Structures are given as C-alpha cells and as structure tokens.
Amino acid sequence: MIYRNFSKRQNLAMTWWNRPGLKEHDAIICDGAVRSGKTVCMVVGFFLWSMACFDGKVFALCGKTIASLRRNVVLHLQQWLGGVLDVTEHRSDNRLEVRTPDGKRNTYYLFGGQDEGSYMLIQGITLAGALLDEAVERGIIEDSIVYRDLFDTKLMGLLTAMPREIISEFKRRYAMCPREATDWYYKYSQESNYVRAERISKDMKWTHETEYGTLDITINLSKPEKDPRDIAAIKRQKESTYPKCQLCPENAGFVGDAKHPARQNLRPIPLKIEGEDWEFQYSPYGYYNEHCILFNTKHTPMKINRSVFGKLFDVVDYFPHYFVGSNADLPIVGGSILTHEHFQGGRYVFAMEKADMEKTFEIMKYPNVKAGIVKWPMSVIRLVSDDRDELAKCCAFVLETWRDYSDPSVVILSETDGIPHNTVTPIARKTENMYFCDLVLRNNLTTKERPLGLFHPNPTLHHIKKENIGLIEVMGLAVLPARLARDIGVLEKMMISGQSLYALPEMASHAKWATEVLGRHPEFSAENAREILKQEIGEVFLEVLKDAGVFKRTEEGQLAFGKFIHKLETT
C-alpha cells in the first residue's frame, strides 16, 4: 500500500477531537468512496484521541470479523503509528496494549460485529468514554474507582438474567455434561462483568523452572487500589454487619457501599455438599483459569476436621474436571477469611499436582489407600484410592495424628499453653474413578524472633513476599503484591545505572537482595535485566515455600519427616 500526504478532510477526521469548535462533539462519521482513506484516518484518529485523553482505560475495536479487523487494521498499526505509539498484540485473548513514550497505557479489545447478537461479545467490558465517564460528568457519581465500580455493577445487574433463569440453565446444561455447564456459567460470569476479565488481564504473569516443577508467578494488578476520596468515604460511613462477610449468600444482589463491593450481577449456583446447603460462584479477580469459590450458606467458621474430606470429595464428584481445596483453619497459615467455611477450586493444573511421589509408604489401617511423600518444597502427603469412603477416613486419620504430633528436635510443637498449632491444607481432585487428596502439613507456631510465624517467609524475603502462604501459594502459584510492578521498573534502572538503592527509601528494602543479584549475574544489562529479575523473584518464591514447610528439605528435616511417617505406618 502506498501512502501520500493527507488531505485537509483526512487530517480533520484524525484531529477533530482536538480542534476548537469541534472538540465538544462526541463522535465523527466518515462517508466516502472506496479506498478514500477512511479506515486509516478513523483508526489513527481514534488511537491518537484515546491515548491523548485517557490512561489505564479499556476500549473496543470492532470489525465484521476479528480476522478482517486484523487484516485491515492491526497488521498496519505499526506502520501507521510507529514512532508515536508502541503497539503490542496479545492474540490469545484478542487484545492490544498501546503505550506512549511517557508511560501511558490503554487496552483495546478486538471484536467481530457481524450480526445483531454481537453486543454480547462486549457485554461486561467497561469501555472508556462511555457510560461511566458520562455519569461522572453529569454528577451522578463521584470520580473514583469505588464509585465507578458501584455504578457499573448496578448497570450490569439490570442486564443480568434473574437468578432462577441462571440456575435453570446451569442445571439443564449440567444434565448433559458438567463441563458444558461450567463453561457456560464462567462465560456468562465474564459477560455480566462479575468476573472482571479486563482487569485480570493486567496482572503480570510468568513462570519459573525449579527442581520441583514449574512455578507460576503473578503480580496482582487486577484489584484496584482505593484513592484518597474512597478512603475518606470509608471513614465517614457507619459500621454495618450486613452482609456479615463477602462470602455470605446475602451478597447476591447487594447494592454495595464504600466498604463492601456491589454484587447486583452475582448469580451463585446452589449445591448440596454433605447434605448441607452450599453455593458455587467464580472469583471476580481469579488468579487462574475458572477460579471458583464454594461456600456454606451458613456463616460458620473454617474448620478442618473429618467432615471436610467428604465435602471436598462431594465437590469433585459434582465437578470431576475441577480440583478443589481448602485453606487451613488457623491464623497465619490460613486464608484471609477464616470466619466463613469455603473452598476454592477451578480448572487448572498446578505444579504441585504434577509433582511425583518421591517415597511411598503403607498405612496399615487403610490397605486400599496408596500413600506417599510428594517431591515438593513444603511437606506434602499424597493419598490415592478408588474407595472414596476409605480415603476420607485415611485423610482424617493423618489429620488427627498430625494435630497431636510434636517433634521438639525440629521445633514442631502441636500446642503451647493450650493453643493448637498443627493443621493441614487439603486439596482434592479426581481422575476417572481415582480420588486424590494432597495434605500439606502446616504449623502456625510463633517465636520472639519470628513473630509472624516460624513456618512463614523469613524476614529477608519480606521485600518480595510478606503475606500469609495460603492454598493458592501452597500449590505453586505466587500471588505477589502490586507494589512489585513498580519496584521492578525502578530496580532495573537503578541497578543498570549503578545507583544506590539505599538512596531511595521505598527501594531500600530491596538493596541487599539487589546487590546479591548483581553478584550472581555479572552479565546484568539493559537487555536482560527484566528477565534476570523475574528469575530471581521466582527463586525468592521457592525459598518462601521452603520456609513454609514444616519438615525442611535438609537431611535433618527429611529424617524428622520419616519419623512422622513411621508413626502413621505403625499406629
């Protein structure tokens, strides 16, 4: 294609939004002969306008089909915008990321719009310059993340089908195939914007190879941080106990407020788990594919006991294509919500599931159960059987034996002053007729030197990961704080230039580690800095998992693990 100088009308089509007398208009329509430059001018103008006026927003590009959109537009963007804007295409999720030299970044989703049903393809994606901005301009809502979220959830709630309709359709599809039911429900949860796919796509993700398998690393950028106006609104708001927590069934349809997210577009699916009423939904900010949550409809505390294994196996019977697990039930080693019984699951294979058993053993009381130690940084016992009832009893036996187990030689104490310390993080799955349950041994003992937990990330790792190690991390997926996204960029520049990190207070916590990284990588340069930092962060997460292990991956630790296994074999 040959390009010549733009005509006055073509220039106008690209820049009207910034011209006196025209910029107060909302849109432009171009009509002209075939190959008169309409596509080039409209596309270039759209990108110039959106990148000049917005930052961190989501837009849509629509063609008759995505293939034609790629052929006629995306293929030429570097030529049209090169030198002005940087364009990166993510083909797997039909998304473009566009950046300016000064750091602005917007996301553009590609859609095919060939019939009247195509609106469903963009339902749930909040497009910048549309309803929310209009609501702010008219004074309907305050211009803050919290109030924008409250308003867009209210709008999507009006468009989302009634609960009885969602439940009926799920049951109809489930009767044909459980996987078809969850496929449909997950897609609908995205379309209704309950699962915020466009925000999840902002998370930084990579993998890290270790002797234990491939770890997943995620820097969580999907949950928006509250701005000062939101924080002020929270302080002004009266305390409320409704809903009691974010897992209670009363959340469905809740209008939300400055402290509690709106849930008008939430449509949970009722289930019977061990004869109790539970509900099933997806996480709005999932960390992996089809990240789901199952919760007791009663506001009852988390408790790992005999009954929990029957509940987990009920779930994998109901959804045999999903894994399901529970956070531990004690502080420090448990999840963020210990006051409401719930599980997490989904369609994802974590590194721990792929890890082999490095040693097998027999539990005499349960001859139909295969048992073994998993080759993993933490202390994991895997139990496998085609007899669900016997497996559940065996899991309960291991749990109860561990609850009362102490080994002072490796500072494992079952209790101090009547306060229990031992529990497990259980994870279940099913393959054809075989049931699997991984029991991760946990202990929440604290000491004067380690007040956050003896089996918690040690203080030298807190600059990367200080938070509790819950179910998701246990299986090999690091959920790292959003601050690291900024820190990585600053670290790159300062380490390349040789600047002292101690000179910048917010970087000082990384200084010792960064010096060690440079010592291990004399090849550190602008070309490889980012990859080296990712690799080293992956190594930190591996150390985090080792710290959380009750029996260390040392000769002494493994001998101590063997003593506990012997107790299981002979009791």
Side-chain angles (χ1 to χ4, degrees), residues 264-339:
Q264 291 105 317
N265 55 348
L266 171 59
R267 302 291 186 266
I269 304 296
L271 301 175
K272 283 286 186 183
I273 303 296
E274 285 278 288
E276 298 178 337
D277 291 326
W278 282 56
E279 290 187 343
F280 161 69
Q281 66 187 57
Y282 289 103
S283 169
Y285 300 104
Y287 295 123
Y288 50 84
N289 185 46
E290 297 181 36
H291 182 172
C292 67
I293 301 170
L294 302 101
F295 56 92
N296 197 321
T297 58
K298 295 178 182 177
H299 185 75
T300 186
M302 297 280 290
K303 186 64 180 174
I304 303 297
N305 54 23
R306 280 179 167 266
S307 68
V308 79
F309 303 109
K311 294 174 183 178
L312 292 172
F313 295 148
D314 266 3
V315 174
V316 295
D317 276 343
Y318 205 90
F319 302 122
H321 54 298
Y322 277 6
F323 82 89
V324 65
S326 173
N327 268 304
D329 56 349
L330 296 179
I332 297 176
V333 296
S336 58
I337 301 179
L338 294 177
T339 57

Coordinates of all heavy atoms in Angstrom, one line a residue, residues 264-339:
Q264 N -24.8 -6.8 42.5 CA -26.1 -6.9 41.8 C -26.0 -7.9 40.6 O -27.0 -8.4 40.1 CB -26.6 -5.6 41.3 CG -27.1 -4.6 42.3 CD -26.1 -3.5 42.5 OE1 -24.9 -3.8 42.6 NE2 -26.5 -2.3 42.7
N265 N -24.8 -8.1 40.1 CA -24.6 -9.0 38.9 C -24.1 -10.4 39.3 O -23.7 -11.2 38.5 CB -23.7 -8.4 37.9 CG -22.3 -8.0 38.5 OD1 -22.2 -8.0 39.7 ND2 -21.4 -7.7 37.6
L266 N -24.2 -10.7 40.6 CA -23.7 -12.1 41.1 C -24.9 -13.0 41.1 O -26.0 -12.7 41.6 CB -23.2 -11.9 42.5 CG -22.9 -13.2 43.3 CD1 -21.9 -14.1 42.5 CD2 -22.4 -12.9 44.7
R267 N -24.7 -14.2 40.5 CA -25.8 -15.2 40.4 C -25.2 -16.6 40.8 O -24.8 -17.4 40.0 CB -26.3 -15.3 39.0 CG -26.9 -14.0 38.4 CD -28.2 -13.6 39.2 NE -28.9 -12.5 38.5 CZ -28.7 -11.2 38.9 NH1 -27.8 -10.9 39.9 NH2 -29.3 -10.2 38.3
P268 N -25.0 -16.9 42.1 CA -24.5 -18.1 42.6 C -25.4 -19.3 42.3 O -26.6 -19.2 42.2 CB -24.3 -17.9 44.1 CG -25.2 -16.9 44.5 CD -25.4 -16.0 43.3
I269 N -24.8 -20.5 42.2 CA -25.5 -21.7 41.9 C -25.6 -22.5 43.2 O -24.6 -22.8 43.8 CB -24.7 -22.6 40.8 CG1 -24.5 -21.7 39.5 CG2 -25.5 -23.9 40.5 CD1 -25.8 -21.3 38.8
P270 N -26.8 -23.0 43.6 CA -26.9 -23.8 44.8 C -26.5 -25.2 44.6 O -26.7 -25.8 43.6 CB -28.4 -23.7 45.1 CG -29.1 -23.4 43.8 CD -28.1 -22.6 43.0
L271 N -25.9 -25.8 45.6 CA -25.4 -27.1 45.6 C -25.7 -27.8 47.0 O -25.8 -27.1 48.0 CB -23.9 -27.2 45.4 CG -23.3 -26.6 44.1 CD1 -21.8 -26.7 44.2 CD2 -23.8 -27.3 42.9
K272 N -25.8 -29.1 47.0 CA -25.8 -29.8 48.3 C -24.5 -30.5 48.5 O -24.0 -31.3 47.7 CB -26.9 -30.9 48.2 CG -28.3 -30.4 48.4 CD -28.6 -30.0 49.8 CE -30.1 -29.6 50.0 NZ -30.4 -29.1 51.4
I273 N -23.8 -30.1 49.6 CA -22.5 -30.7 49.9 C -22.6 -31.4 51.3 O -22.9 -30.7 52.3 CB -21.4 -29.6 50.0 CG1 -21.3 -28.9 48.7 CG2 -20.1 -30.2 50.4 CD1 -20.9 -29.7 47.5
E274 N -22.5 -32.7 51.3 CA -22.6 -33.5 52.6 C -24.0 -33.1 53.2 O -24.0 -33.0 54.5 CB -21.5 -33.2 53.5 CG -20.2 -33.9 53.1 CD -20.1 -35.4 53.6 OE1 -20.0 -35.6 54.8 OE2 -20.2 -36.2 52.7
G275 N -25.0 -33.0 52.4 CA -26.3 -32.7 52.9 C -26.6 -31.3 53.4 O -27.7 -31.0 53.8
E276 N -25.6 -30.4 53.3 CA -25.7 -29.0 53.6 C -25.9 -28.1 52.4 O -25.5 -28.5 51.3 CB -24.5 -28.5 54.4 CG -24.3 -29.3 55.7 CD -23.0 -28.8 56.4 OE1 -22.1 -28.2 55.8 OE2 -22.9 -29.0 57.7
D277 N -26.5 -27.0 52.6 CA -26.7 -26.0 51.5 C -25.4 -25.2 51.3 O -25.0 -24.5 52.2 CB -27.9 -25.1 51.8 CG -29.2 -25.8 51.8 OD1 -29.4 -26.7 51.0 OD2 -30.1 -25.4 52.6
W278 N -24.9 -25.3 50.1 CA -23.7 -24.5 49.7 C -24.0 -23.8 48.4 O -25.1 -24.1 47.8 CB -22.5 -25.5 49.5 CG -21.8 -25.9 50.7 CD1 -22.4 -26.6 51.8 CD2 -20.4 -25.8 51.1 NE1 -21.5 -26.8 52.8 CE2 -20.3 -26.3 52.3 CE3 -19.4 -25.2 50.4 CZ2 -19.0 -26.4 53.0 CZ3 -18.1 -25.2 51.0 CH2 -17.9 -25.8 52.3
E279 N -23.2 -22.9 48.0 CA -23.3 -22.2 46.8 C -22.0 -22.1 46.1 O -20.9 -22.2 46.7 CB -23.9 -20.8 47.0 CG -25.4 -20.8 47.4 CD -26.0 -19.5 47.5 OE1 -25.3 -18.4 47.5 OE2 -27.3 -19.4 47.5
F280 N -22.1 -22.0 44.7 CA -20.9 -22.0 43.9 C -20.9 -20.8 43.0 O -21.9 -20.4 42.4 CB -21.0 -23.3 43.0 CG -20.2 -23.3 41.7 CD1 -18.8 -23.4 41.8 CD2 -20.8 -23.3 40.5 CE1 -18.0 -23.5 40.7 CE2 -20.1 -23.4 39.3 CZ -18.7 -23.5 39.4
Q281 N -19.7 -20.1 42.9 CA -19.6 -19.0 42.0 C -18.1 -18.8 41.6 O -17.3 -19.6 42.1 CB -20.0 -17.7 42.8 CG -19.1 -17.3 43.9 CD -19.6 -16.2 44.8 OE1 -20.7 -16.2 45.3 NE2 -18.7 -15.2 44.9
Y282 N -17.8 -17.9 40.7 CA -16.5 -17.6 40.3 C -15.9 -16.4 41.1 O -16.6 -15.6 41.5 CB -16.3 -17.5 38.8 CG -16.6 -18.8 38.1 CD1 -17.8 -19.1 37.5 CD2 -15.6 -19.8 38.1 CE1 -18.0 -20.3 36.8 CE2 -15.8 -21.0 37.5 CZ -17.0 -21.2 36.9 OH -17.2 -22.4 36.3
S283 N -14.6 -16.4 41.2 CA -13.9 -15.3 41.8 C -13.9 -14.1 40.8 O -13.5 -14.3 39.7 CB -12.5 -15.6 42.2 OG -11.8 -14.5 42.6
P284 N -14.3 -12.9 41.3 CA -14.2 -11.7 40.4 C -12.8 -11.4 39.9 O -12.6 -10.8 38.8 CB -14.9 -10.6 41.2 CG -14.8 -11.0 42.6 CD -14.8 -12.5 42.6
Y285 N -11.8 -11.7 40.7 CA -10.4 -11.5 40.3 C -9.6 -12.8 40.4 O -8.7 -12.9 41.2 CB -9.8 -10.4 41.3 CG -10.6 -9.1 41.3 CD1 -11.4 -8.8 42.3 CD2 -10.4 -8.2 40.2 CE1 -12.1 -7.5 42.3 CE2 -11.1 -7.0 40.2 CZ -12.0 -6.7 41.2 OH -12.6 -5.5 41.2
G286 N -10.0 -13.7 39.5 CA -9.4 -15.0 39.6 C -7.9 -15.0 39.3 O -7.4 -14.2 38.4
Y287 N -7.1 -15.9 40.0 CA -5.7 -16.0 39.8 C -5.3 -17.1 38.7 O -4.1 -17.2 38.4 CB -5.0 -16.3 41.1 CG -5.1 -15.2 42.1 CD1 -5.7 -15.4 43.4 CD2 -4.7 -13.9 41.8 CE1 -5.8 -14.4 44.3 CE2 -4.8 -12.8 42.7 CZ -5.4 -13.1 44.0 OH -5.5 -12.1 44.9
Y288 N -6.3 -17.9 38.3 CA -6.0 -19.0 37.4 C -7.3 -19.3 36.7 O -8.4 -18.7 37.0 CB -5.5 -20.2 38.1 CG -6.3 -20.6 39.3 CD1 -7.4 -21.4 39.2 CD2 -5.9 -20.2 40.6 CE1 -8.2 -21.8 40.3 CE2 -6.7 -20.5 41.7 CZ -7.8 -21.4 41.5 OH -8.6 -21.7 42.6
N289 N -7.3 -20.2 35.7 CA -8.4 -20.5 34.9 C -9.6 -21.0 35.7 O -9.5 -21.9 36.5 CB -8.1 -21.5 33.8 CG -9.2 -21.7 32.8 OD1 -9.8 -20.8 32.3 ND2 -9.5 -23.0 32.5
E290 N -10.8 -20.3 35.5 CA -12.0 -20.7 36.2 C -11.9 -20.9 37.7 O -12.4 -21.8 38.3 CB -12.6 -22.0 35.5 CG -12.9 -21.8 34.1 CD -13.5 -23.1 33.4 OE1 -14.2 -23.8 34.0 OE2 -13.2 -23.3 32.2
H291 N -11.2 -19.9 38.3 CA -11.0 -19.8 39.7 C -12.4 -19.7 40.4 O -13.0 -18.6 40.3 CB -10.1 -18.6 40.0 CG -9.8 -18.4 41.5 ND1 -8.9 -17.5 41.9 CD2 -10.3 -19.1 42.6 CE1 -8.8 -17.6 43.2 NE2 -9.6 -18.5 43.7
C292 N -12.8 -20.7 41.0 CA -14.2 -20.7 41.6 C -14.1 -20.7 43.2 O -13.1 -21.1 43.8 CB -15.0 -21.8 41.1 SG -14.5 -23.5 41.6
I293 N -15.2 -20.4 43.8 CA -15.4 -20.4 45.2 C -16.7 -21.1 45.6 O -17.7 -20.9 44.9 CB -15.5 -18.9 45.8 CG1 -14.2 -18.1 45.4 CG2 -15.6 -19.0 47.3 CD1 -14.3 -16.7 45.7
L294 N -16.6 -22.0 46.5 CA -17.8 -22.7 47.0 C -17.9 -22.4 48.5 O -16.9 -22.5 49.2 CB -17.6 -24.2 46.8 CG -17.4 -24.7 45.3 CD1 -16.0 -25.0 45.1 CD2 -18.3 -25.8 45.0
F295 N -19.1 -22.1 49.0 CA -19.2 -21.6 50.3 C -20.5 -22.1 51.0 O -21.5 -22.3 50.3 CB -19.1 -20.1 50.4 CG -20.1 -19.4 49.6 CD1 -21.4 -19.0 50.1 CD2 -19.8 -19.1 48.3 CE1 -22.3 -18.4 49.4 CE2 -20.8 -18.4 47.5 CZ -22.0 -18.0 48.0
N296 N -20.4 -22.4 52.3 CA -21.5 -22.8 53.1 C -22.5 -21.6 53.2 O -22.0 -20.5 53.3 CB -21.0 -23.2 54.5 CG -22.1 -24.0 55.3 OD1 -23.2 -23.7 55.2 ND2 -21.6 -24.9 56.0
T297 N -23.8 -21.8 53.0 CA -24.7 -20.7 53.1 C -24.8 -20.2 54.5 O -25.4 -19.1 54.7 CB -26.1 -21.1 52.6 OG1 -26.6 -22.2 53.3 CG2 -26.0 -21.5 51.1
K298 N -24.4 -21.0 55.5 CA -24.4 -20.5 56.9 C -23.0 -19.8 57.2 O -22.0 -20.3 56.7 CB -24.5 -21.7 57.9 CG -25.9 -22.4 57.8 CD -25.9 -23.6 58.8 CE -27.3 -24.3 58.7 NZ -27.3 -25.5 59.6
H299 N -23.1 -18.7 57.9 CA -21.9 -18.0 58.3 C -21.2 -18.8 59.5 O -21.4 -18.5 60.6 CB -22.2 -16.6 58.7 CG -21.0 -15.7 59.0 ND1 -20.2 -15.3 58.0 CD2 -20.5 -15.3 60.2 CE1 -19.2 -14.6 58.6 NE2 -19.4 -14.6 59.9
T300 N -20.5 -19.8 59.1 CA -19.9 -20.7 60.1 C -18.3 -20.7 59.8 O -17.9 -20.7 58.7 CB -20.5 -22.1 60.0 OG1 -20.0 -22.9 61.0 CG2 -20.2 -22.8 58.6
P301 N -17.5 -20.8 60.9 CA -16.1 -20.7 60.7 C -15.5 -21.8 60.0 O -16.0 -22.9 59.9 CB -15.6 -20.7 62.2 CG -16.7 -20.3 63.0 CD -17.9 -20.9 62.3
M302 N -14.3 -21.6 59.4 CA -13.5 -22.6 58.7 C -13.1 -23.6 59.8 O -12.7 -23.3 60.9 CB -12.2 -22.0 58.1 CG -12.5 -21.0 57.0 SD -12.8 -21.8 55.4 CE -11.2 -22.5 55.0
K303 N -13.2 -24.9 59.5 CA -12.8 -26.0 60.4 C -12.3 -27.2 59.6 O -13.1 -27.7 58.8 CB -13.9 -26.4 61.3 CG -13.5 -27.3 62.4 CD -12.5 -26.8 63.4 CE -12.1 -27.7 64.4 NZ -11.0 -27.2 65.3
I304 N -11.1 -27.5 59.7 CA -10.5 -28.7 59.1 C -10.7 -29.9 60.1 O -10.1 -30.0 61.1 CB -9.1 -28.6 58.7 CG1 -8.8 -27.4 57.8 CG2 -8.6 -29.8 58.0 CD1 -9.6 -27.4 56.5
N305 N -11.7 -30.8 59.7 CA -12.0 -31.9 60.6 C -12.4 -33.1 59.7 O -12.2 -33.1 58.4 CB -13.1 -31.6 61.6 CG -14.3 -31.1 60.9 OD1 -14.6 -31.3 59.7 ND2 -15.1 -30.3 61.7
R306 N -12.9 -34.2 60.3 CA -13.2 -35.4 59.5 C -14.2 -35.1 58.3 O -14.0 -35.6 57.2 CB -13.9 -36.4 60.4 CG -12.9 -37.2 61.2 CD -13.6 -38.2 62.1 NE -12.7 -39.2 62.7 CZ -12.4 -40.4 62.2 NH1 -13.1 -40.7 61.1 NH2 -11.6 -41.2 62.7
S307 N -15.2 -34.2 58.6 CA -16.2 -34.0 57.6 C -15.7 -33.2 56.4 O -16.3 -33.3 55.3 CB -17.4 -33.2 58.2 OG -17.0 -31.9 58.6
V308 N -14.6 -32.5 56.5 CA -14.2 -31.7 55.4 C -13.8 -32.5 54.2 O -14.0 -32.1 53.0 CB -13.0 -30.7 55.8 CG1 -11.7 -31.5 55.8 CG2 -12.9 -29.5 54.8
F309 N -13.3 -33.7 54.4 CA -12.9 -34.6 53.3 C -14.1 -35.1 52.5 O -14.0 -35.2 51.3 CB -12.0 -35.7 53.8 CG -10.8 -35.2 54.6 CD1 -10.7 -35.4 56.0 CD2 -9.8 -34.5 53.9 CE1 -9.7 -34.9 56.7 CE2 -8.7 -34.0 54.7 CZ -8.7 -34.2 56.0
G310 N -15.1 -35.5 53.2 CA -16.4 -35.8 52.5 C -16.9 -34.7 51.6 O -17.4 -34.9 50.5
K311 N -16.8 -33.5 52.2 CA -17.2 -32.3 51.4 C -16.4 -32.1 50.2 O -16.9 -31.8 49.1 CB -17.2 -31.1 52.3 CG -18.2 -31.1 53.5 CD -18.0 -29.9 54.4 CE -18.9 -30.0 55.6 NZ -18.7 -28.9 56.6
L312 N -15.1 -32.2 50.3 CA -14.2 -32.0 49.2 C -14.5 -33.0 48.1 O -14.5 -32.7 46.9 CB -12.7 -32.1 49.6 CG -12.2 -30.9 50.5 CD1 -10.8 -31.2 51.0 CD2 -12.2 -29.6 49.7
F313 N -14.7 -34.3 48.5 CA -15.0 -35.3 47.5 C -16.3 -35.2 46.9 O -16.6 -35.5 45.7 CB -14.8 -36.7 48.2 CG -13.4 -37.0 48.6 CD1 -13.2 -37.8 49.7 CD2 -12.3 -36.5 47.9 CE1 -11.9 -38.1 50.2 CE2 -11.0 -36.8 48.4 CZ -10.8 -37.6 49.5
D314 N -17.3 -34.6 47.6 CA -18.6 -34.3 47.0 C -18.4 -33.3 45.9 O -19.0 -33.4 44.8 CB -19.5 -33.6 48.1 CG -20.4 -34.7 48.7 OD1 -20.3 -35.9 48.4 OD2 -21.3 -34.3 49.6
V315 N -17.5 -32.3 46.1 CA -17.3 -31.3 45.0 C -16.7 -31.9 43.8 O -17.1 -31.6 42.7 CB -16.4 -30.1 45.6 CG1 -16.1 -29.2 44.5 CG2 -17.1 -29.4 46.7
V316 N -15.6 -32.7 44.0 CA -15.0 -33.3 42.8 C -15.9 -34.4 42.1 O -15.8 -34.6 40.9 CB -13.6 -33.9 43.1 CG1 -12.7 -32.8 43.5 CG2 -13.7 -35.0 44.1
D317 N -16.8 -34.9 42.9 CA -17.8 -35.8 42.2 C -18.8 -34.9 41.4 O -19.2 -35.3 40.3 CB -18.7 -36.5 43.3 CG -18.0 -37.8 43.7 OD1 -17.1 -38.3 43.0 OD2 -18.4 -38.3 44.8
Y318 N -19.1 -33.8 41.9 CA -20.0 -32.9 41.2 C -19.3 -32.2 40.0 O -19.9 -32.1 38.9 CB -20.5 -31.8 42.1 CG -21.8 -31.2 41.8 CD1 -23.0 -31.7 42.2 CD2 -21.9 -30.1 40.9 CE1 -24.2 -31.2 41.9 CE2 -23.1 -29.5 40.6 CZ -24.3 -30.1 41.0 OH -25.5 -29.5 40.7
F319 N -18.0 -31.8 40.2 CA -17.2 -31.2 39.1 C -15.9 -32.0 38.9 O -14.9 -31.6 39.4 CB -16.9 -29.8 39.4 CG -18.1 -28.9 39.7 CD1 -18.3 -28.2 40.9 CD2 -19.1 -28.7 38.7 CE1 -19.4 -27.4 41.1 CE2 -20.2 -27.9 38.9 CZ -20.3 -27.2 40.1
P320 N -16.0 -33.2 38.2 CA -14.8 -34.0 38.1 C -13.7 -33.4 37.3 O -12.5 -33.9 37.4 CB -15.3 -35.3 37.5 CG -16.6 -34.9 36.8 CD -17.2 -33.8 37.6
H321 N -13.9 -32.3 36.6 CA -12.9 -31.7 35.8 C -12.2 -30.5 36.6 O -11.4 -29.8 36.1 CB -13.5 -31.1 34.5 CG -14.7 -30.2 34.7 ND1 -15.8 -30.7 35.3 CD2 -14.9 -28.9 34.4 CE1 -16.7 -29.7 35.3 NE2 -16.2 -28.6 34.8
Y322 N -12.6 -30.3 37.9 CA -12.0 -29.3 38.7 C -11.2 -29.9 39.9 O -11.5 -31.0 40.3 CB -13.1 -28.4 39.3 CG -13.7 -27.3 38.5 CD1 -13.3 -27.2 37.1 CD2 -14.6 -26.4 39.0 CE1 -13.8 -26.2 36.4 CE2 -15.1 -25.4 38.2 CZ -14.7 -25.3 36.9 OH -15.2 -24.2 36.1
F323 N -10.2 -29.2 40.3 CA -9.6 -29.5 41.6 C -10.4 -28.7 42.7 O -11.1 -27.7 42.3 CB -8.1 -29.2 41.7 CG -7.9 -27.7 41.9 CD1 -7.8 -27.2 43.3 CD2 -7.8 -26.8 40.9 CE1 -7.5 -25.9 43.5 CE2 -7.6 -25.5 41.1 CZ -7.5 -25.0 42.5
V324 N -10.3 -29.0 43.9 CA -10.9 -28.2 45.0 C -10.0 -28.3 46.2 O -9.5 -29.4 46.5 CB -12.4 -28.6 45.3 CG1 -12.5 -30.0 45.8 CG2 -13.0 -27.6 46.2
G325 N -9.9 -27.2 46.9 CA -9.0 -27.3 48.1 C -9.6 -26.3 49.2 O -10.4 -25.4 48.9
S326 N -9.1 -26.5 50.4 CA -9.5 -25.6 51.5 C -8.2 -25.0 52.1 O -7.2 -25.6 52.3 CB -10.2 -26.4 52.6 OG -10.5 -25.6 53.7
N327 N -8.3 -23.7 52.4 CA -7.3 -23.1 53.3 C -7.3 -23.8 54.6 O -8.3 -24.3 55.1 CB -7.5 -21.6 53.4 CG -6.8 -20.8 52.4 OD1 -5.6 -20.9 52.2 ND2 -7.6 -20.0 51.6
A328 N -6.1 -23.7 55.3 CA -6.1 -24.2 56.6 C -7.0 -23.3 57.6 O -7.4 -22.3 57.2 CB -4.6 -24.1 57.1
D329 N -7.2 -23.9 58.7 CA -8.2 -23.2 59.6 C -7.6 -22.5 60.8 O -8.3 -22.1 61.7 CB -9.2 -24.3 60.2 CG -8.5 -25.4 60.9 OD1 -7.2 -25.5 60.8 OD2 -9.2 -26.3 61.5
L330 N -6.3 -22.2 60.7 CA -5.6 -21.5 61.8 C -5.0 -20.2 61.3 O -4.6 -20.1 60.1 CB -4.5 -22.3 62.4 CG -5.0 -23.6 63.1 CD1 -3.7 -24.4 63.7 CD2 -5.9 -23.3 64.3
P331 N -4.9 -19.2 62.1 CA -4.3 -17.9 61.7 C -2.9 -18.1 61.2 O -2.2 -19.1 61.6 CB -4.3 -17.0 62.9 CG -5.4 -17.6 63.8 CD -5.4 -19.1 63.5
I332 N -2.4 -17.2 60.4 CA -1.0 -17.3 59.8 C -0.9 -18.2 58.6 O -0.5 -17.9 57.5 CB 0.1 -17.5 60.8 CG1 0.1 -16.4 61.9 CG2 1.5 -17.7 60.1 CD1 1.1 -16.7 63.0
V333 N -1.3 -19.5 58.9 CA -1.2 -20.5 57.8 C -2.6 -20.6 57.0 O -2.7 -21.4 56.1 CB -0.8 -21.9 58.3 CG1 0.6 -21.8 58.9 CG2 -1.8 -22.4 59.4
G334 N -3.6 -19.9 57.5 CA -4.9 -20.0 56.8 C -5.1 -18.9 55.8 O -4.1 -18.1 55.5
G335 N -6.3 -18.7 55.3 CA -6.6 -17.7 54.3 C -7.0 -16.4 54.9 O -6.9 -16.2 56.2
S336 N -7.5 -15.5 54.1 CA -7.8 -14.2 54.6 C -9.2 -14.1 55.3 O -9.5 -13.2 56.0 CB -7.8 -13.2 53.5 OG -8.7 -13.6 52.4
I337 N -10.0 -15.2 55.0 CA -11.4 -15.2 55.6 C -11.5 -16.6 56.4 O -11.7 -17.6 55.8 CB -12.5 -15.1 54.6 CG1 -12.4 -13.8 53.8 CG2 -13.9 -15.2 55.3 CD1 -13.4 -13.6 52.8
L338 N -11.3 -16.5 57.7 CA -11.4 -17.7 58.5 C -12.8 -17.9 59.1 O -13.1 -18.9 59.8 CB -10.3 -17.8 59.6 CG -8.9 -17.9 59.1 CD1 -7.9 -17.8 60.3 CD2 -8.6 -19.2 58.3
T339 N -13.6 -16.8 59.0 CA -14.9 -16.8 59.7 C -16.0 -17.4 58.9 O -17.1 -17.6 59.4 CB -15.3 -15.3 60.0 OG1 -15.3 -14.6 58.8 CG2 -14.3 -14.7 61.0

